[in-house]
């Protein structure tokens, strides 16, 4: 009886150990990162990752790509732009009661992605700016994703005709015409004020000094050009201003003076935004014939710490009519200044330095924005003959900020020693113009080896980072089970020996008693 109880006790203990062993294996499998298959839901992206630029009254089609990453089909998928509650949020005309689009059932996987297209028309009153718009994605009535996208808008040019109502010229660089004003906030422009005789108002006479019909001869700006076309902060440029005499009389002895706004944060750095690179800021012109045109030019330097925006220059004019009476006038010229993007990329941190085909190496570096402009939609693309192409989206980096680049590069083809991998960094400016730069790194791709061979290699860092967690845990549990079984067998054997010894002693005692009797 006692033997049977001991046997059952040993069996129960062994069952508990086996159950615990299976539980450890299941938990290890469930918790190991490589065994977890997490659903990431739905994503929405602007096609080709482009930032669209609209103009006043312009209609464009904006295309988005919707992808299901959940691993299961999703039904009744809808995409809805958030129009907001006021015009400051939504730059487009509201031409429909609802812009929601239903794309039905969306199967899982990138190959099953669907495109959604929206036709938007920019409002006429929208200024040149950058808008952040929200788009929501729902499935089966539940919100699955919400993402922000950028769009650039361009203001409608403001133009005014001259007194005779004619419109014969416009824009930066127009060499003729009679517009008195042309302004676009980002592209620059010009505007014209009134002309007046010295000591009197425009159109009036002073002691018979004016012409016979009492009008004041007027000279206006009809456009301007810069060489180079884009004015960069800290550089020299040539400004050429196009003039037109709108009156029917000749004007002569003309003196023009240009003055720029003062920029700077303290007394040591405060100075005009533009200064003559040589000579004075005054320009002399002999005369302009009736209804004639002329150009004046000056070499200027843009201050190095100017922000990226248009800067106004005031142009004052003094000239004489045929009676040698002095006339004064003024115009304003808006010159856009561009700041060059300046940034540095830190040294690459590569771990490990060598990977087998099918394995991954981690590559990290930092991007320091040293310029005065914001970098938009920064993206890093890694390409090489021996690796699979990899892309990392960093996003927007403010002036003076740091962006982190963290990529996983998978070996594709065995290399003959360290092989070149090129990182192409792309970014956009405020107008959506894309610029790129490249930086190279080296990564060796070797032949794929078995886990046993990898464990026997003399690279402790790489071995540590690719440590086979599951096999080691299972081996440890198996060893524990075997040890437990051996201990149980030894304990059982000892208990049986003690029982046999007790039974033998009992028989000896009984034999001794029988002999005494």
């Amino acid at each position: 009886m006692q033997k049977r109880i001991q046997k059952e006790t040993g069996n129960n203990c062994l069952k508990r150990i086996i159950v615990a062993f299976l539980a450890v294996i299941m938990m290890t499998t469930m918790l190991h990162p490589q065994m977890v298959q997490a659903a990431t839901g739905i994503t929405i992206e602007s096609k080709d990752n482009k930032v669209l630029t609209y103009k006043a009254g312009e209609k464009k089609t904006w295309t988005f790509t919707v992808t299901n990453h959940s691993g299961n089909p999703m039904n009744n998928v809808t995409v809805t732009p958030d129009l907001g509650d006021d015009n400051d949020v939504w730059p487009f005309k509201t031409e429909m009661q609802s812009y929601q689009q239903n794309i039905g059932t969306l199967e899982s996987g990138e190959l099953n992605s669907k495109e959604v297209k929206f036709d938007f028309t920019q409002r006429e009153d929208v200024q040149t700016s950058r808008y952040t718009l929200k788009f929501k994605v729902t499935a089966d009535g539940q919100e699955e994703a919400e993402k922000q996208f950028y769009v650039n808008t361009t203001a409608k040019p403001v133009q005014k005709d001259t007194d005779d109502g004619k419109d014969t010229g416009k824009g930066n660089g127009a060499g003729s015409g009679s517009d008195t004003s042309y302004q676009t906030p980002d592209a620059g422009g010009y505007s014209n004020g009134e002309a007046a005789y010295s000591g009197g108002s425009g159109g009036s006479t002073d002691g018979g000094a004016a012409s016979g019909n009492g009008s004041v001869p007027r000279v206006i700006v009809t456009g301007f050009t810069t060489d180079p076309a884009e004015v960069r902060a800290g550089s020299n440029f040539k400004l050429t201003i196009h003039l037109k005499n709108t009156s029917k009389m000749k004007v002569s002895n003309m003196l023009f003076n240009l003055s720029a706004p003062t920029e700077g944060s303290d007394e040591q750095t405060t100075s005009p935004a533009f200064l003559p690179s040589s000579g004075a800021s005054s320009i002399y012109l002999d005369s302009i014939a009736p209804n004639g045109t002329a150009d004046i030019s000056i070499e200027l330097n843009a201050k190095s710490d100017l922000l990226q925006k248009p800067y106004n220059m005031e142009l004052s004019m003094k000239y004489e009519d045929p009676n040698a009476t002095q006339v004064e006038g003024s115009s304003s010229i808006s010159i856009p200044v561009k700041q060059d993007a300046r940034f540095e990329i830190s040294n690459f941190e590569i771990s490990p330095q060598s990977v087998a085909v099918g394995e991954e190496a981690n590559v990290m570096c930092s991007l320091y924005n040293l310029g005065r402009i914001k970098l938009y939609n920064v993206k890093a693309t890694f390409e090489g003959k021996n690796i699979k192409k990899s892309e990392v989206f960093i996003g927007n980096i403010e002036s003076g900020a740091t962006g982190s680049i963290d990529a996983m590069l998978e070996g594709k083809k065995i290399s003959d020693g360290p092989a070149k991998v090129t990182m192409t960094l792309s970014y956009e400016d405020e107008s959506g113009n894309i610029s790129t730069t490249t930086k190279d790194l080296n990564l060796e791709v070797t032949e794929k080896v078995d886990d046993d061979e990898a464990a026997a290699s003399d690279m402790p860092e790489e071995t540590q980072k690719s440590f086979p967690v599951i096999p080691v845990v299972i081996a440890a549990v198996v060893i524990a089970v075997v040890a437990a079984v051996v201990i149980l067998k030894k304990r059982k054997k000892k208990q049986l020996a003690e029982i046999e010894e007790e039974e033998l002693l009992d028989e000896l005692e009984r034999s001794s008693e029988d002999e005494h009797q």
Side-chain angles (χ1 to χ4, degrees), residues 370-390:
L370 306 178
R372 295 179 176 272
I373 62 173
K374 184 176 180 179
L375 304 179
Y376 295 95
N377 295 325
V378 182
K379 182 175 68 172
T381 304
F382 294 84
E383 294 179 287
K385 294 181 180 179
N386 304 92
I387 66 162
K388 290 185 178 179
K389 182 179 179 180
S390 177

Side-chain angles (χ1 to χ4, degrees), residues 277-290:
S277 57
S278 62
S281 59
S282 298
I283 307 168
Y284 178 80
L285 187 64
D286 182 61
S287 63
I288 302 178

Side-chain angles (χ1 to χ4, degrees), residues 79 92 96 146-148 155 160 199 219 223 252 262 290 341 391 466:
V79 181
F92 303 121
M96 301 173 63
E146 180 180 280
K147 188 168 182 180
Q148 295 181 341
K160 297 178 182 179
V219 176
S252 57
T262 300
E391 292 185 349
S466 58

Side-chain angles (χ1 to χ4, degrees), residues 359 449-459 463 466:
E359 294 182 355
V449 295
D450 295 334
D451 292 339
D452 294 340
E453 296 178 6
S457 66
D458 57 350
M459 295 186 294
T463 304
S466 58

Side-chain angles (χ1 to χ4, degrees), residues 247-376:
S247 69
K248 297 180 180 180
M249 63 183 76
K250 179 181 177 179
V251 293
S252 57
N253 198 23
M254 308 180 73
L255 181 64
F256 302 89
N257 188 71
L258 281 164
S259 59
T262 300
E263 297 290 328
S265 56
D266 51 56
E267 293 182 0
Q268 286 74 27
T269 60
T270 298
S271 63
F274 305 111
L275 283 174
S277 57
S278 62
S281 59
S282 298
I283 307 168
Y284 178 80
L285 187 64
D286 182 61
S287 63
I288 302 178
N291 292 315
T293 60
D295 290 346
I296 56 174
S297 298
I298 187 173
E299 295 281 346
L300 297 171
N301 174 265
K303 197 179 176 191
S304 60
D305 60 352
L306 295 179
L307 298 177
Q308 182 165 298
K309 66 176 185 178
Y311 289 85
N312 285 333
M313 290 195 74
E314 297 299 324
L315 176 67
S316 63
M317 312 177 193
K318 292 182 179 180
Y319 50 91
E320 297 176 355
D321 67 4
N323 297 323
T325 305
Q326 186 168 309
V327 182
E328 295 183 359
S330 64
S331 295
S332 179
I333 297 171
S334 179
I335 302 174
V337 174
K338 298 287 185 180
Q339 270 280 357
D340 288 323
R342 291 195 310 112
F343 54 84
E344 286 184 3
I345 302 172
S346 68
N347 293 329
F348 290 110
E349 296 180 16
I350 308 171
S351 179
Q353 295 284 343
S354 175
V355 295
V357 174
E359 294 182 355
E360 293 182 331
N362 180 230
V363 177
M364 295 188 297
C365 64
S366 296
L367 175 64
Y368 310 109
N369 186 1
L370 306 178
R372 295 179 176 272
I373 62 173
K374 184 176 180 179
L375 304 179
Y376 295 95

Side-chain angles (χ1 to χ4, degrees), residues 75-78 137-144:
N75 301 318
N76 194 29
V77 178
T78 62
V137 184
T138 62
D140 293 325
Q142 301 294 323
E143 183 174 325
E144 296 290 339

